[in-house]
């Protein structure tokens, strides 16, 4: 029985309040790309938790390791996104000749976030099908939220590359968002 584990009570961790205040500020960074990366990272963390709490899921240990890797990768991408966005804003303000290059770089990171969020959604869909009891619902929720992060990131790629018609990164980001949305639909349709 899981009751033997120690349980921590979480009221409202101070870090969540700081995060909300940071996002609500009038500063340009962090913004939506950073939030998409962090959101998808939290989804990966939820999948890791579902796997850790699922004794009946034979591949749970591998799924947990994969989820933790995705979480860490997304947190790193979120930080990269904030830096790339800040660079693009600085180039825009200065009307710098490197603006196109800065916008292109600013598109690379949300593309990576979209693709990695899609991986989280796929893993979460697997968790929704295979995890134990309530962990299935957590996995389904993680898939849905990760799909939102992938969709938001795909939009950022399209916006950053709006002056570069036909850029393959827009297509790749859209494909990642569609993959994540398909995984979320599958996860949400699973019997819990």
């Amino acid at each position: 029985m899981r009751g033997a584990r120690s349980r921590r009570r979480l009221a409202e961790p101070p870090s969540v309040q700081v995060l909300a205040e940071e996002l609500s500020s009038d500063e340009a960074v962090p913004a939506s790309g950073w939030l998409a990366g962090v959101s998808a990272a939290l989804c990966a963390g939820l999948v890791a938790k579902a796997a850790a709490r699922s004794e009946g899921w034979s591949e749970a240990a591998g799924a947990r390791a994969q989820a933790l890797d995705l979480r860490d990768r997304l947190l790193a991408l979120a930080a990269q996104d904030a830096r790339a966005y800040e660079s693009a804003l600085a180039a825009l303000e200065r009307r710098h000749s490197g603006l196109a290059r800065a916008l292109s770089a600013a598109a690379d990171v949300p593309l990576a976030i979209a693709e990695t969020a899609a991986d989280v959604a796929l893993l979460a869909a697997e968790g929704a099908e295979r995890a134990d009891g309530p962990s299935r619902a957590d996995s389904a929720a993680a898939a849905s939220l990760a799909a939102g992060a992938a969709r938001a990131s795909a939009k950022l790629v399209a916006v950053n590359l709006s002056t570069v018609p036909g850029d393959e990164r827009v297509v790749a980001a859209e494909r990642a968002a569609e993959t994540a949305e398909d995984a979320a639909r599958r996860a949400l349709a699973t019997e819990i």
Side-chain angles (χ1 to χ4, degrees), residues 87-175:
S87 255
L89 287 176
L92 182 61
E93 281 178 14
R94 293 188 317 263
R95 303 276 187 232
H96 192 269
S97 62
L99 178 59
R101 191 171 48 254
L103 287 173
S104 179
D108 287 338
V109 182
L111 171 58
I113 292 171
E115 292 172 339
T116 309
D119 290 340
V120 171
L122 289 166
L123 185 60
E126 182 180 341
E129 294 166 348
R130 298 179 177 196
D132 294 352
S135 293
R136 291 177 146 217
D138 285 342
S139 293
S144 183
L145 293 166
R151 175 56 61 198
S153 297
K155 178 65 175 179
L156 295 174
V157 172
V159 167
N160 288 338
L161 296 174
S162 61
T163 62
V164 187
D167 193 299
E168 287 297 317
R169 291 173 289 180
V170 174
V171 174
E174 182 62 29
R175 190 171 38 250

Side-chain angles (χ1 to χ4, degrees), residues 2-25:
R2 298 210 189 279
R5 290 186 179 173
S6 67
R7 293 181 185 235
R8 290 178 286 156
R9 287 234 180 249
L10 296 178
E12 186 173 343
S15 57
V16 174
Q17 183 65 36
V18 169
L19 172 64
E21 288 174 8
E22 187 77 21
L23 285 170
S24 304
S25 77

